[in-house]
Amino acid sequence: MARIRLDHIRHAYSPDLARVGNYALREVDHAFEDGGAYALLGPSGCGKTTLLNIISGLLTPSEGHVRFDDTDVTLLSPEARNIAQVFQFPVIYDTMTVRENLAFPLKNRKVAKDEIKRRVDDMLVRIGLEAKADRKAQGLTADEKQKISLGRGLVRPDVNAILFDEPLTVIDPHMKWQLRSQLKELHRQFKMTMVYVTHDQTEALTFADKVVVMYDGEVVQIGTPEELFERPKHTFVGYFIGSPGMNVLSCEVDGTDALVSGVRIALPGGARPMGSAKKTELGIRPEFVQIVPRGQGMPVAITRVEDIGSERIVRADFQGQKLVSVVKEGASLPSEVDVVFEPQALNLYADSWLVEGRAA
Ligand code: ATP
């Protein structure tokens, strides 16, 4: 297992694209700690697969270095990096049995026969396929095949990291949850560095200890699910994580207050260093926008209420800007209401990036 260091990585798919500044990865300078479970999360085209392929060695970055612990592996092939990969579609041998598929990477590495048997028997139990050990892989379901792919990575004693590229895409929705919890359990048992690419926030937030949010060729935040929810470092993270996403209101900053169309809102943590920001915005999650009786807060006009079972999503107009609040089912909702923003949940953004207060 290894710590994976991405040292000032940039990547353009051709010299011509680099010349016009069209980089699939603009600058990535981060580390994945040994034994961590990371998810790379972001919308289509933000560079997740490019980054994963640079870690595995399928791609050589245009600039920068990849290090596994102290070894520079930038120019090493995927085989030489001892990386296991699980792709969208299971990569297994259909004509081999489940047992033979699991033994294959060990045979290739000339592991002793009884060690192979011991490891394969153990893995069959861990991935829950011991009853199907001697069945040919071709008759198995997609999720069983994906478990074999996973087992083939985990069965090796020498693996530095295991990389997943949208591994649940072809799995039935009701099996996804089961496979995801099994994966998390296997991570707990093996403590292997895992990097998991997905554009599905539920998958990322349930699998990973740390989620790496990517946007437009950059890592915009690495954090625990709580950090991403409570303190989005970039307005994109606020919008992308959570459902509905964070409210982002255009504002001006006056000393220790934010002004939304003249409505004054005190900022926790006092004055912020705004520099020469062209755009200033206030972020507040819908869960922290309280609906209160008229006269007790700031006036809004409700435009729509959606019932989603245990909660209601209230959409409103606040000073000409859209505002969303989430309220518990059963809470009173008079026709004339005000809103109150929970002060500790206010985030201020300068040119889309979070500006920290003194004592947030
Ligand atoms: P998805 O979720 O759709 O797979 P992604 O976040 O994994 O997206 P990448 O596949 O890494 O994103 O793509 C990042 C950018 O690089 C995109 O603009 C894409 O069009 C471009 N790109 C990807 N592969 C190539 C390629 N082989 N040649 C040229 N451009 C490419």
Side-chain angles (χ1 to χ4, degrees):
M1 284 175 275
R3 176 178 196 262
I4 301 170
R5 170 91 179 96
L6 302 168
D7 187 358
H8 297 280
I9 299 285
R10 299 185 83 205
H11 189 70
Y13 275 94
S14 73
D16 285 343
L17 288 170
R19 218 166 294 126
V20 294
N22 189 343
Y23 280 80
L25 289 180
R26 294 200 279 152
E27 168 98 28
V28 175
D29 187 46
H30 291 287
F32 298 112
E33 297 305 331
D34 190 0
Y38 293 88
L40 294 185
L41 175 68
S44 188
C46 70
K48 305 179 295 291
T49 300
T50 303
L51 187 58
L52 200 73
N53 289 344
I54 285 173
I55 297 172
S56 70
L58 289 173
L59 261 184
T60 305
S62 316
E63 293 170 36
H65 295 268
V66 183
R67 294 194 175 79
F68 287 180
D69 294 329
D70 295 328
T71 311
D72 189 331
V73 299
T74 318
L75 300 175
L76 293 187
S77 68
E79 296 72 37
R81 293 184 190 198
N82 282 332
I83 284 282
Q85 296 197 73
V86 180
F87 298 98
Q88 283 189 2
F89 298 96
V91 182
I92 56 169
Y93 299 101
D94 269 347
T95 53
M96 288 186 189
T97 64
V98 175
R99 185 186 293 283
E100 287 164 348
N101 264 291
L102 291 176
F104 192 77
L106 299 177
K107 277 191 182 152
N108 264 353
R109 284 169 182 74
K110 313 251 179 297
V111 174
K113 258 195 174 151
D114 38 345
E115 173 72 0
I116 294 183
K117 179 163 173 18
R118 194 186 64 71
R119 286 188 159 268
V120 169
D121 283 345
D122 174 64
M123 191 48 62
L124 281 164
V125 176
R126 288 184 197 262
I127 59 175
L129 288 180
E130 64 272 43
K132 299 195 172 168
D134 297 311
R135 291 260 300 268
K136 288 248 185 336
Q138 62 198 4
L140 301 183
T141 60
D143 60 287
E144 289 168 336
K145 288 184 180 180
Q146 201 59 309
K147 284 182 190 172
I148 303 175
S149 299
L150 177 63
R152 277 162 46 119
L154 291 169
V155 81
R156 287 163 50 184
D158 57 348
V159 160
N160 276 320
I162 179 156
L163 309 180
F164 301 86
D165 196 351
E166 307 252 10
L168 303 183
T169 309
V170 295
I171 308 298
D172 276 354
H174 72 282
M175 290 306 298
K176 276 189 183 176
W177 183 84
Q178 198 212 54
L179 208 54
R180 208 165 52 215
S181 353
Q182 202 162 14
L183 194 56
K184 190 136 181 97
E185 180 54 31
L186 287 167
H187 177 257
R188 246 192 301 271
Q189 293 169 12
F190 285 84
K191 285 271 166 275
M192 197 174 268
T193 314
M194 290 186 174
V195 183
Y196 185 114
V197 162
T198 179
H199 60 265
D200 178 331
Q201 60 161 303
T202 313
E203 254 172 54
L205 299 174
T206 50
F207 166 76
D209 308 326
K210 289 270 178 82
V211 179
V212 179
V213 185
M214 295 187 67
Y215 175 60
D216 197 15
E218 272 185 309
V219 171
V220 282
Q221 186 167 5
I222 300 185
T224 62
E226 293 74 32
E227 285 163 350
L228 299 180
F229 187 80
E230 285 165 17
R231 287 278 173 262
K233 287 229 164 97
H234 191 280
T235 49
F236 172 75
V237 179
Y239 150 80
F240 198 65
I241 305 280
S243 180
M246 185 173 72
N247 291 293
V248 179
L249 303 167
S250 165
C251 72
E252 285 166 43
V253 177
D254 178 25
T256 60
D257 295 337
L259 293 170
V260 178
S261 305
V263 177
R264 200 165 272 279
I265 300 163
L267 295 167
R272 321 269 174 121
M274 299 307 292
S276 54
K278 290 194 193 71
K279 183 174 69 171
T280 48
E281 289 158 313
L282 192 63
I284 178 112
R285 290 222 172 257
E287 291 78 359
F288 303 112
V289 175
Q290 293 170 12
I291 304 279
V292 296
R294 181 57 48 95
Q296 294 183 17
M298 302 173 288
V300 290
I302 294 180
T303 51
R304 210 165 79 209
V305 179
E306 293 158 28
D307 205 327
I308 53 161
S310 60
E311 289 168 333
R312 274 183 293 175
I313 298 175
V314 180
R315 300 189 187 274
D317 180 293
F318 175 60
Q319 302 298 327
Q321 301 193 49
K322 284 185 184 146
L323 182 73
V324 181
S325 164
V326 173
V327 297
K328 289 266 162 288
E329 179 62 25
S332 76
L333 211 52
S335 55
E336 300 225 311
V337 297
D338 281 0
V339 288
V340 169
F341 296 161
E342 289 185 26
Q344 293 312 315
L346 287 168
N347 293 314
L348 187 66
Y349 295 90
D351 294 333
S352 304
W353 291 95
L354 180 69
V355 185
E356 305 272 5
R358 278 196 309 273

PDB file of all heavy atoms in Angstrom, residues 13 17 24 42-51 165-166 197 199, ligand 1:
ATOM      1  N   TYR A  13      -4.441  16.827 -23.829  1.00  0.00           N
ATOM      2  CA  TYR A  13      -4.432  15.613 -24.639  1.00  0.00           C
ATOM      3  C   TYR A  13      -3.600  15.732 -25.918  1.00  0.00           C
ATOM      4  O   TYR A  13      -3.405  14.743 -26.613  1.00  0.00           O
ATOM      5  CB  TYR A  13      -5.857  15.142 -24.935  1.00  0.00           C
ATOM      6  CG  TYR A  13      -6.401  14.287 -23.794  1.00  0.00           C
ATOM      7  CD1 TYR A  13      -7.165  14.838 -22.777  1.00  0.00           C
ATOM      8  CD2 TYR A  13      -6.109  12.926 -23.723  1.00  0.00           C
ATOM      9  CE1 TYR A  13      -7.643  14.055 -21.732  1.00  0.00           C
ATOM     10  CE2 TYR A  13      -6.568  12.142 -22.671  1.00  0.00           C
ATOM     11  CZ  TYR A  13      -7.334  12.710 -21.683  1.00  0.00           C
ATOM     12  OH  TYR A  13      -7.784  11.923 -20.648  1.00  0.00           O
ATOM     13  N   LEU A  17      -3.545  21.339 -28.101  1.00  0.00           N
ATOM     14  CA  LEU A  17      -4.486  21.756 -27.046  1.00  0.00           C
ATOM     15  C   LEU A  17      -3.737  22.500 -25.945  1.00  0.00           C
ATOM     16  O   LEU A  17      -4.230  23.488 -25.406  1.00  0.00           O
ATOM     17  CB  LEU A  17      -5.213  20.523 -26.472  1.00  0.00           C
ATOM     18  CG  LEU A  17      -6.251  19.873 -27.396  1.00  0.00           C
ATOM     19  CD1 LEU A  17      -6.726  18.536 -26.833  1.00  0.00           C
ATOM     20  CD2 LEU A  17      -7.437  20.811 -27.611  1.00  0.00           C
ATOM     21  N   ALA A  24      -7.079  19.301 -19.878  1.00  0.00           N
ATOM     22  CA  ALA A  24      -8.114  18.465 -19.239  1.00  0.00           C
ATOM     23  C   ALA A  24      -7.915  18.520 -17.718  1.00  0.00           C
ATOM     24  O   ALA A  24      -8.868  18.460 -16.958  1.00  0.00           O
ATOM     25  CB  ALA A  24      -8.023  17.039 -19.743  1.00  0.00           C
ATOM     26  N   GLY A  42     -17.387  14.547  -9.462  1.00  0.00           N
ATOM     27  CA  GLY A  42     -17.550  15.765 -10.262  1.00  0.00           C
ATOM     28  C   GLY A  42     -18.387  15.470 -11.487  1.00  0.00           C
ATOM     29  O   GLY A  42     -18.624  14.304 -11.814  1.00  0.00           O
ATOM     30  N   PRO A  43     -18.832  16.516 -12.194  1.00  0.00           N
ATOM     31  CA  PRO A  43     -19.684  16.299 -13.361  1.00  0.00           C
ATOM     32  C   PRO A  43     -18.900  15.739 -14.539  1.00  0.00           C
ATOM     33  O   PRO A  43     -17.657  15.755 -14.536  1.00  0.00           O
ATOM     34  CB  PRO A  43     -20.194  17.710 -13.673  1.00  0.00           C
ATOM     35  CG  PRO A  43     -19.164  18.626 -13.124  1.00  0.00           C
ATOM     36  CD  PRO A  43     -18.549  17.935 -11.951  1.00  0.00           C
ATOM     37  N   SER A  44     -19.613  15.280 -15.530  1.00  0.00           N
ATOM     38  CA  SER A  44     -19.004  14.720 -16.731  1.00  0.00           C
ATOM     39  C   SER A  44     -18.023  15.728 -17.344  1.00  0.00           C
ATOM     40  O   SER A  44     -18.351  16.904 -17.467  1.00  0.00           O
ATOM     41  CB  SER A  44     -20.118  14.386 -17.717  1.00  0.00           C
ATOM     42  OG  SER A  44     -19.581  13.700 -18.785  1.00  0.00           O
ATOM     43  N   GLY A  45     -16.832  15.256 -17.677  1.00  0.00           N
ATOM     44  CA  GLY A  45     -15.868  16.102 -18.371  1.00  0.00           C
ATOM     45  C   GLY A  45     -14.970  16.915 -17.454  1.00  0.00           C
ATOM     46  O   GLY A  45     -14.132  17.689 -17.921  1.00  0.00           O
ATOM     47  N   CYS A  46     -15.079  16.747 -16.133  1.00  0.00           N
ATOM     48  CA  CYS A  46     -14.272  17.589 -15.226  1.00  0.00           C
ATOM     49  C   CYS A  46     -12.849  17.052 -15.050  1.00  0.00           C
ATOM     50  O   CYS A  46     -12.004  17.723 -14.461  1.00  0.00           O
ATOM     51  CB  CYS A  46     -14.948  17.735 -13.866  1.00  0.00           C
ATOM     52  SG  CYS A  46     -14.933  16.222 -12.902  1.00  0.00           S
ATOM     53  N   GLY A  47     -12.569  15.844 -15.544  1.00  0.00           N
ATOM     54  CA  GLY A  47     -11.193  15.340 -15.503  1.00  0.00           C
ATOM     55  C   GLY A  47     -10.961  14.157 -14.569  1.00  0.00           C
ATOM     56  O   GLY A  47      -9.807  13.767 -14.335  1.00  0.00           O
ATOM     57  N   LYS A  48     -12.017  13.538 -14.064  1.00  0.00           N
ATOM     58  CA  LYS A  48     -11.859  12.431 -13.102  1.00  0.00           C
ATOM     59  C   LYS A  48     -11.108  11.252 -13.713  1.00  0.00           C
ATOM     60  O   LYS A  48     -10.139  10.754 -13.134  1.00  0.00           O
ATOM     61  CB  LYS A  48     -13.240  11.933 -12.618  1.00  0.00           C
ATOM     62  CG  LYS A  48     -14.124  12.999 -12.026  1.00  0.00           C
ATOM     63  CD  LYS A  48     -15.460  12.442 -11.588  1.00  0.00           C
ATOM     64  CE  LYS A  48     -16.352  11.917 -12.705  1.00  0.00           C
ATOM     65  NZ  LYS A  48     -16.905  12.929 -13.601  1.00  0.00           N
ATOM     66  N   THR A  49     -11.586  10.807 -14.897  1.00  0.00           N
ATOM     67  CA  THR A  49     -10.962   9.632 -15.519  1.00  0.00           C
ATOM     68  C   THR A  49      -9.524   9.958 -15.921  1.00  0.00           C
ATOM     69  O   THR A  49      -8.625   9.122 -15.777  1.00  0.00           O
ATOM     70  CB  THR A  49     -11.796   9.175 -16.736  1.00  0.00           C
ATOM     71  OG1 THR A  49     -13.095   8.863 -16.251  1.00  0.00           O
ATOM     72  CG2 THR A  49     -11.196   7.964 -17.410  1.00  0.00           C
ATOM     73  N   THR A  50      -9.297  11.172 -16.395  1.00  0.00           N
ATOM     74  CA  THR A  50      -7.940  11.578 -16.774  1.00  0.00           C
ATOM     75  C   THR A  50      -7.023  11.444 -15.556  1.00  0.00           C
ATOM     76  O   THR A  50      -5.926  10.862 -15.646  1.00  0.00           O
ATOM     77  CB  THR A  50      -7.945  13.044 -17.287  1.00  0.00           C
ATOM     78  OG1 THR A  50      -8.865  13.137 -18.370  1.00  0.00           O
ATOM     79  CG2 THR A  50      -6.568  13.492 -17.723  1.00  0.00           C
ATOM     80  N   LEU A  51      -7.482  11.913 -14.408  1.00  0.00           N
ATOM     81  CA  LEU A  51      -6.655  11.853 -13.204  1.00  0.00           C
ATOM     82  C   LEU A  51      -6.434  10.396 -12.778  1.00  0.00           C
ATOM     83  O   LEU A  51      -5.315   9.999 -12.423  1.00  0.00           O
ATOM     84  CB  LEU A  51      -7.313  12.659 -12.076  1.00  0.00           C
ATOM     85  CG  LEU A  51      -6.467  12.818 -10.824  1.00  0.00           C
ATOM     86  CD1 LEU A  51      -5.141  13.493 -11.155  1.00  0.00           C
ATOM     87  CD2 LEU A  51      -7.194  13.656  -9.770  1.00  0.00           C
ATOM     88  N   ASP A 165     -13.271   2.890 -11.475  1.00  0.00           N
ATOM     89  CA  ASP A 165     -13.832   3.892 -12.382  1.00  0.00           C
ATOM     90  C   ASP A 165     -15.310   3.607 -12.585  1.00  0.00           C
ATOM     91  O   ASP A 165     -15.679   2.722 -13.346  1.00  0.00           O
ATOM     92  CB  ASP A 165     -13.085   3.888 -13.719  1.00  0.00           C
ATOM     93  CG  ASP A 165     -13.370   5.147 -14.520  1.00  0.00           C
ATOM     94  OD1 ASP A 165     -14.269   5.929 -14.123  1.00  0.00           O
ATOM     95  OD2 ASP A 165     -12.698   5.368 -15.537  1.00  0.00           O
ATOM     96  N   GLU A 166     -16.171   4.327 -11.880  1.00  0.00           N
ATOM     97  CA  GLU A 166     -17.630   4.168 -11.940  1.00  0.00           C
ATOM     98  C   GLU A 166     -18.006   2.682 -11.898  1.00  0.00           C
ATOM     99  O   GLU A 166     -18.702   2.184 -12.799  1.00  0.00           O
ATOM    100  CB  GLU A 166     -18.174   4.819 -13.236  1.00  0.00           C
ATOM    101  CG  GLU A 166     -17.743   6.268 -13.415  1.00  0.00           C
ATOM    102  CD  GLU A 166     -18.866   7.263 -13.191  1.00  0.00           C
ATOM    103  OE1 GLU A 166     -19.920   6.857 -12.721  1.00  0.00           O
ATOM    104  OE2 GLU A 166     -18.645   8.455 -13.466  1.00  0.00           O
ATOM    105  N   VAL A 197     -13.832   6.677  -8.629  1.00  0.00           N
ATOM    106  CA  VAL A 197     -14.372   7.751  -9.472  1.00  0.00           C
ATOM    107  C   VAL A 197     -15.880   7.608  -9.645  1.00  0.00           C
ATOM    108  O   VAL A 197     -16.359   6.522  -9.957  1.00  0.00           O
ATOM    109  CB  VAL A 197     -13.696   7.720 -10.867  1.00  0.00           C
ATOM    110  CG1 VAL A 197     -14.523   8.496 -11.885  1.00  0.00           C
ATOM    111  CG2 VAL A 197     -12.311   8.308 -10.807  1.00  0.00           C
ATOM    112  N   HIS A 199     -19.749  10.129 -10.551  1.00  0.00           N
ATOM    113  CA  HIS A 199     -20.391  11.450 -10.611  1.00  0.00           C
ATOM    114  C   HIS A 199     -21.632  11.446  -9.726  1.00  0.00           C
ATOM    115  O   HIS A 199     -22.412  12.400  -9.746  1.00  0.00           O
ATOM    116  CB  HIS A 199     -20.724  11.830 -12.059  1.00  0.00           C
ATOM    117  CG  HIS A 199     -21.657  10.877 -12.724  1.00  0.00           C
ATOM    118  ND1 HIS A 199     -21.206   9.838 -13.502  1.00  0.00           N
ATOM    119  CD2 HIS A 199     -22.985  10.754 -12.677  1.00  0.00           C
ATOM    120  CE1 HIS A 199     -22.239   9.140 -13.923  1.00  0.00           C
ATOM    121  NE2 HIS A 199     -23.337   9.673 -13.432  1.00  0.00           N
TER     122      HIS A 199
HETATM  123  P1  ATP B   1     -16.929  11.437 -17.469  1.00  0.00           P
HETATM  124  O1  ATP B   1     -17.630  11.374 -16.137  1.00  0.00           O
HETATM  125  O2  ATP B   1     -17.844  11.856 -18.591  1.00  0.00           O
HETATM  126  O3  ATP B   1     -16.118  10.222 -17.788  1.00  0.00           O
HETATM  127  P2  ATP B   1     -14.549  12.799 -16.542  1.00  0.00           P
HETATM  128  O4  ATP B   1     -14.744  13.720 -15.396  1.00  0.00           O
HETATM  129  O5  ATP B   1     -14.000  11.453 -16.260  1.00  0.00           O
HETATM  130  O6  ATP B   1     -15.910  12.668 -17.368  1.00  0.00           O
HETATM  131  P3  ATP B   1     -12.452  13.048 -18.466  1.00  0.00           P
HETATM  132  O7  ATP B   1     -12.916  11.833 -19.237  1.00  0.00           O
HETATM  133  O8  ATP B   1     -11.220  12.920 -17.666  1.00  0.00           O
HETATM  134  O9  ATP B   1     -13.631  13.590 -17.548  1.00  0.00           O
HETATM  135  O10 ATP B   1     -12.298  14.240 -19.510  1.00  0.00           O
HETATM  136  C1  ATP B   1     -11.771  15.510 -19.171  1.00  0.00           C
HETATM  137  C2  ATP B   1     -11.676  16.368 -20.422  1.00  0.00           C
HETATM  138  O11 ATP B   1     -10.718  15.798 -21.317  1.00  0.00           O
HETATM  139  C3  ATP B   1     -12.984  16.455 -21.220  1.00  0.00           C
HETATM  140  O12 ATP B   1     -13.078  17.759 -21.743  1.00  0.00           O
HETATM  141  C4  ATP B   1     -12.808  15.448 -22.335  1.00  0.00           C
HETATM  142  O13 ATP B   1     -13.545  15.817 -23.472  1.00  0.00           O
HETATM  143  C5  ATP B   1     -11.307  15.516 -22.598  1.00  0.00           C
HETATM  144  N1  ATP B   1     -10.776  14.217 -23.058  1.00  0.00           N
HETATM  145  C6  ATP B   1     -10.885  13.033 -22.410  1.00  0.00           C
HETATM  146  N2  ATP B   1     -10.250  12.047 -23.103  1.00  0.00           N
HETATM  147  C7  ATP B   1      -9.738  12.644 -24.218  1.00  0.00           C
HETATM  148  C8  ATP B   1      -8.965  12.163 -25.318  1.00  0.00           C
HETATM  149  N3  ATP B   1      -8.584  10.890 -25.415  1.00  0.00           N
HETATM  150  N4  ATP B   1      -8.603  13.072 -26.250  1.00  0.00           N
HETATM  151  C9  ATP B   1      -8.960  14.371 -26.164  1.00  0.00           C
HETATM  152  N5  ATP B   1      -9.681  14.882 -25.136  1.00  0.00           N
HETATM  153  C10 ATP B   1     -10.073  14.034 -24.184  1.00  0.00           C
END
